[in-house]
Amino acid sequence: MGEVTEAGWGEEEEKIKVGVCVMEKKVKCGSEVLSAPMGQILERLQAFGEFEVIYFGDKVILEDPIESWPICDCLIAFYSTGYPLEKAEAYATLRKPFLVNELVPQHLLHDRRKVYERVELFGIPVPRYALVNREFPYQELDYFIEEEDFVEVHGSCFWKPFVEKPVDGDDHSIMIYYPSSAGGGMKELFRKVGNRSSEFHSEVRRVRREGSYIYEEFMPTGGTDVKVYTVGPEYAHAEARKSPVVDGVVMRNPDGKEVRYPVLLTPNEKQMARDVCIAFRQAVCGFDLLRCEGRSYVCDVNGWSFVKNSYKYYDDAACVLRKMLLDAKAPHLSSTIPPTLPWKINEPVQPSEGLTRQGSGIIGTFGQSEELRCVIAIIRHGDRTPKQKVKLKVTEEKLLNLMLKYNGGRPRSETKLKSAVELQDLLDATRILVPRTRPGRGSDSEAEDFEHAEKLRQVKAVLEEGGHFSGIYRKVQLKPLKWVRVLKSNGEGEEERPVEALMILKYGGVLTHAGRKQAEELGRYFRNNIYPGEGTGLLRLHSTYRHDLKIYSSDEGRVQMSAAGFAKGLLDLEGPLTPILVSLVSKDSSMLDGLDNASSEMEEAKARLNEIVTFPAKIVHSNGSSECPWMTDGAGLPSNASELLPKLVNILASET
C-alpha cells in the first residue's frame, strides 16, 4: 500500500471504483458535466484523488448483460423513467458493491400508499389521509361517499379543502378541491411547464373516479413549500419556494432558474430527515416538508434528489459522500476533510457570507441600533353590493331540530348555518314547509300566515339561487327565543326544548369587481411603501420565515375576499382569489375582537345615529360640526331627513 498523502491517498494505492449506473439524462458527462448537480458532485469526489468514477451509460444499462457490466466497489444506482431496476438489483447481487442508495426499497417510492405506510411505520408525522382503491375505472365503492363539500372514506370525513393524489408515485397530477364557502373549484398541480406549475378550474367540483387515490387533509403552509435534501442520515439541506397552490406562477431568476431560498430546519425536522433517510435506506433522497401551525409533516418522498445551483451544497455533498465511501471500503484510512478542498486550492479566499441583514439598522436618538419588529395593518373590506336580510320567527319542529343539530343540542344557543351541507339541510326543510298554495288574507291570523309563508318562499328562493351553494355570500342564523321543559325520550328526567326561534337570512354584500381591485391595489401600495426596494423580496422574507406573515379575516364573504385581494397585491400573486384565500387567509374572527363590550358600544352608536337621523333639528350645521366630525367629508344631513327616509323606503319597496 502506498504512502497516504495529505489528500488521503498514495500514488501506488488502487483507487476505489465508483460505478454510476443511472440513465444519461440524470447525469451529464463529458463537456456537460458541470451543468448537472450530480456531475458537479462527482467531479468534486474525483478531485480528492481516492476514487475512479465509472459511467455505465445507457447502452450498457439497457442492452448489455449484467455479467459484462463494469466491476465496481461502490454503486450509485437509482430509478428513472425507463430504468431496468430489477436488472440493477441482479448486478448488485452478483458483484455485491456498496450501495449508496439501496435498490429494493426504491420500489416503494413508486407507490404513495407504500410511502405513507413506511413513513408512519417509523413514527414520522404525515397529514391525515385515507385510501380509495379501485380495481377498474369508475368502480363504485360502498365505503366512498362524495358530497358537495366533503368526501367520506371508510367513515373518515375530509372537508374541503382537501388534496387528491394518485397512488402512482410517478403521476404528478395532484388536485386540490376548494369549499363552496370560499367559492368552490379545483386547482390542478403538475410538473412545471414553462412558468406554470398549477391551474385553477372554477367549474370543477367533483373528484376524479378514474383510478385509485389518496385523500389528504389540506395543510395551510402560508404559501411556501419546503423541500429537504439528505446526503446520508447526518446531513440535510432545506430550501423554500413559492407553493404552486397559491397562483401557479413559477418565480425565476434572470438566468431562468426557479427561485428557492435556504431555510434552517428545527431539531425535530432534522430528526425527521434522518428518519426518512433510514426508513427508505436511501442515503441521497429528497422529500416535501409541510410546516403548518407550528408542526411539521412529511409527504411525497423522492429517491436520489439533488439541490440545484448551490456550490456550497455541492461541496458538502462531495465531502459527505467521500466519508461514506471510505468508511465502507477503506475504513483504515482517515476520512477527515482536508483543510483545503482539492478543487479550491487555486481559488482566492472569499470573505464569509452570512445573513447579516437583521432589520433597518436605523440609529435612534441615543445612538442605539433599532430594529423593526412588527407591522400591523387593520383594513376594511372593499366596495360591495347592498346587504339584504330576511327575518322571521319560526316554530316549525323541522327548523328547531335543525338548530339543535348544528349547535350541539344546546336549546339556548344560537346556530350559524353557512357551509353547503348546512344550507342544503335548511333548503330541504324549507321546501317541505313552504305551502303549495298561497293562503288568503282575510283575518289577522291569515295575514300573519300569509306573511310567514311569503318569507319562507323568499328563504327558499335565495337558497336555490345559482344552482349550487357559494356559502361565502349566504348565511343563516337561528336564535332561540322560547323554550319549555319536556320529558326526555327515555323517560328519565326532563330536558329543555326550544319552541320558537328567530331565523335571520343574510345574503348579498358581494365584493364587487371594483372592491377586488381596491383590495389588490392597496396590497401593492402597502408593499411598495412599507417595504420600499424589496420588490418581490417580501415573499423571500416570508419563505425563509424571517418575516412571519399572518392575514386574518372575519367569516363574512366580502371581508374574506378583500383579505385575499390584499394578499394578492402584497405578495405580487396572479390568478383567481379562491386559492389565495384558502392558502393565506385565516378565518379567525377572534383575532379581530377588540373589546369585550363592543356590542354595547355598537348599540350606543346606533342609538346616536338614529337620534341624528330622526331629530335633525338638533343639528343646525352638520357639515364641519364638532358635534359630528365624521360628517365633515360629506354633504351632511338634509333638514327634513326624517320625512325623506320613509319616502325612500316606500320607493324602494315599490321598485322591488
Side-chain angles (χ1 to χ4, degrees):
M1 180 176 290
E3 181 183 356
V4 177
T5 65
E6 184 182 47
W9 208 255
E11 293 180 359
E12 299 177 7
E13 187 78 43
E14 184 177 353
K15 293 185 178 182
I16 297 174
K17 293 182 174 61
V18 180
V20 180
C21 181
V22 300
M23 304 296 280
E24 290 176 0
K25 63 183 178 182
K26 290 293 181 180
V27 52
K28 300 176 183 178
C29 307
S31 61
E32 291 187 323
V33 71
L34 295 179
S35 65
M38 187 173 173
Q40 292 271 6
I41 294 169
L42 292 175
E43 185 185 59
R44 285 163 168 74
L45 193 65
Q46 281 185 290
F48 282 111
E50 303 149 340
F51 306 97
E52 177 186 350
V53 177
I54 303 171
Y55 297 95
F56 284 27
D58 286 2
K59 183 180 181 302
V60 171
I61 296 171
L62 298 174
E63 300 176 12
D64 294 356
I66 60 171
E67 291 77 11
S68 65
W69 285 14
I71 298 175
C72 59
D73 303 300
C74 304
L75 183 67
I76 294 174
F78 60 90
Y79 175 89
S80 60
T81 304
Y83 184 79
L85 186 56
E86 291 81 3
K87 194 174 181 180
E89 289 178 61
Y91 171 81
T93 302
L94 176 66
R95 301 301 183 190
K96 295 181 173 53
F98 169 73
L99 298 174
V100 176
N101 278 25
E102 294 194 27
L103 298 172
V104 174
Q106 292 185 30
H107 290 284
L108 301 175
L109 300 174
H110 308 297
D111 190 325
R112 288 190 173 95
R113 294 168 295 191
K114 295 178 180 178
V115 169
Y116 276 57
E117 181 182 348
R118 188 77 174 174
V119 168
E120 287 185 295
L121 181 64
F122 277 74
I124 304 168
V126 297
R128 186 173 67 91
Y129 73 97
L131 303 176
V132 172
N133 295 309
R134 291 188 176 89
E135 297 178 3
F136 52 86
Y138 302 101
Q139 178 187 7
E140 290 299 326
L141 304 169
D142 56 6
Y143 61 81
F144 178 75
I145 301 171
E146 181 181 11
E147 296 292 347
E148 175 76 15
D149 260 352
F150 70 90
V151 293
E152 185 179 306
V153 185
H154 291 295
S156 182
C157 192
F158 291 83
W159 290 89
K160 294 179 181 179
F162 58 72
V163 184
E164 178 188 68
K165 297 179 178 178
V167 297
D168 181 1
D170 298 319
D171 186 345
H172 298 281
S173 179
I174 296 173
M175 311 296 193
I176 300 174
Y177 297 88
Y178 296 100
S180 56
S181 60
M186 176 272 287
K187 170 153 281 196
E188 179 183 8
L189 314 184
F190 45 77
R191 289 281 197 182
K192 293 187 286 291
V193 179
N195 286 333
R196 302 294 309 178
S197 59
S198 69
E199 290 291 342
F200 181 69
H201 305 278
S202 60
E203 73 286 354
V204 178
R205 298 173 183 273
R206 309 292 289 181
V207 302
R208 291 175 288 182
R209 296 173 184 265
E210 294 88 344
S212 299
Y213 301 97
I214 291 177
Y215 289 92
E216 183 180 299
E217 184 178 4
F218 178 81
M219 312 297 287
T221 59
T224 61
D225 280 352
V226 177
K227 184 82 171 181
V228 181
Y229 302 86
T230 69
V231 186
E234 307 299 330
Y235 179 91
H237 174 89
E239 293 184 338
R241 64 168 185 173
K242 184 173 73 171
S243 172
V245 307
V246 180
D247 64 354
V249 178
V250 180
M251 291 180 61
R252 297 188 182 277
N253 61 23
D255 297 327
K257 306 295 184 182
E258 184 179 16
V259 177
R260 298 189 177 192
Y261 307 105
V263 295
L264 296 177
L265 295 175
T266 66
N268 184 52
E269 291 169 343
K270 291 177 183 178
Q271 183 61 46
M272 291 164 64
R274 174 185 174 84
D275 291 342
V276 168
C277 185
I278 294 173
F280 293 91
R281 302 202 298 277
Q282 305 292 296
V284 180
C285 72
F287 64 89
D288 293 331
L289 187 72
L290 303 178
R291 287 173 164 174
C292 176
E293 298 178 351
R295 299 190 63 188
S296 299
Y297 305 84
V298 167
C299 70
D300 280 1
V301 180
N302 313 114
W304 200 263
S305 296
F306 286 113
V307 178
K308 296 179 180 179
N309 308 309
S310 172
Y311 291 100
K312 175 65 167 62
Y313 167 79
Y314 300 151
D315 294 349
D316 291 345
C319 292
V320 174
L321 281 174
R322 171 182 177 266
K323 183 181 187 308
M324 190 184 305
L325 300 179
L326 288 181
D327 287 347
K329 288 298 178 180
H332 58 288
L333 295 177
S334 170
S335 58
T336 304
I337 298 175
T340 303
L341 296 175
W343 57 89
K344 291 194 171 184
I345 292 176
N346 297 322
E347 288 185 11
V349 178
Q350 299 292 331
S352 60
E353 296 181 1
L355 296 176
T356 57
R357 179 169 181 168
Q358 299 297 321
S360 58
I362 300 173
I363 305 300
T365 308
F366 301 101
Q368 298 177 344
S369 178
E370 295 182 352
E371 179 180 330
L372 180 65
R373 302 299 299 272
C374 181
V375 175
I376 298 176
I378 301 174
I379 302 165
R380 192 177 187 275
H381 62 76
D383 181 67
R384 59 164 174 81
T385 62
K387 289 188 294 182
Q388 300 187 67
K389 187 184 297 185
V390 178
K391 287 185 179 182
L392 67 157
K393 290 181 180 180
V394 295
T395 57
E396 293 84 353
E397 189 173 356
K398 285 185 177 296
L399 298 176
L400 297 175
N401 288 340
L402 193 66
M403 178 176 68
L404 292 174
K405 176 181 177 180
Y406 290 111
N407 71 3
R410 299 187 298 271
R412 299 195 179 207
S413 295
E414 177 183 337
T415 300
K416 287 185 180 181
L417 308 178
K418 191 166 185 180
S419 73
V421 174
E422 295 166 347
L423 293 177
Q424 186 63 55
D425 271 0
L426 176 62
L427 176 57
D428 293 340
T430 307
R431 282 171 173 165
I432 296 172
L433 295 172
V434 170
R436 296 183 180 275
T437 59
R438 296 177 183 269
R441 304 183 63 174
S443 65
D444 290 343
S445 61
E446 288 175 340
E448 289 179 5
D449 291 342
F450 177 84
E451 183 180 358
H452 184 76
E454 288 301 304
K455 287 187 176 181
L456 280 176
R457 285 193 178 90
Q458 189 174 356
V459 170
K460 174 176 171 288
V462 171
L463 293 177
E464 289 177 336
E465 184 181 354
H468 64 268
F469 288 112
S470 291
I472 192 166
Y473 293 122
R474 281 178 280 195
K475 179 172 66 175
V476 175
Q477 293 171 270
L478 287 166
K479 301 179 178 181
L481 299 177
K482 296 178 182 178
W483 43 88
V484 296
R485 298 196 67 83
V486 297
L487 285 174
K488 291 184 178 179
S489 56
N490 58 10
E492 298 179 2
E494 293 184 338
E495 64 180 358
E496 284 188 337
R497 292 281 299 179
V499 293
E500 184 178 83
L502 177 65
M503 177 191 290
I504 306 173
L505 168 62
K506 298 179 180 180
Y507 61 103
V510 179
L511 192 70
T512 63
H513 177 74
R516 295 189 180 204
K517 188 176 180 181
Q518 289 170 350
E520 292 176 25
E521 289 180 348
L522 181 61
R524 283 190 289 270
Y525 178 86
F526 193 88
R527 181 183 76 240
N528 293 332
N529 286 271
I530 300 299
Y531 301 93
E534 286 288 359
T536 57
L538 179 60
L539 182 62
R540 171 181 59 80
L541 292 174
H542 178 49
S543 299
T544 55
Y545 284 80
R546 295 174 63 212
H547 182 283
D548 191 12
L549 174 66
K550 294 288 188 297
I551 301 175
Y552 295 97
S553 163
S554 74
D555 63 353
E556 296 289 349
R558 60 188 179 278
V559 181
Q560 292 182 44
M561 285 302 183
S562 294
F566 178 82
K568 180 178 179 179
L570 180 69
L571 297 177
D572 195 26
L573 303 175
E574 297 182 15
L577 295 184
T578 294
I580 298 172
L581 169 64
V582 172
S583 300
L584 296 176
V585 179
S586 173
K587 293 178 284 295
D588 184 0
S589 57
S590 64
M591 292 293 297
L592 305 173
D593 293 338
L595 299 170
D596 294 335
N597 61 341
S599 58
S600 62
E601 293 191 0
M602 289 172 62
E603 291 302 322
E604 290 179 12
K606 289 179 180 178
R608 176 63 178 140
L609 288 172
N610 182 68
E611 180 184 354
I612 293 171
V613 170
T614 54
F615 300 102
K618 291 186 177 182
I619 304 174
V620 180
H621 298 290
S622 58
N623 254 6
S625 167
S626 59
E627 187 178 357
C628 303
W630 39 270
M631 290 184 178
T632 55
D633 59 347
L637 284 173
S639 58
N640 59 340
S642 57
E643 299 174 10
L644 293 176
L645 284 174
K647 293 181 181 179
L648 177 61
V649 171
N650 291 332
I651 292 172
L652 289 173
S654 64
E655 291 294 328
T656 56

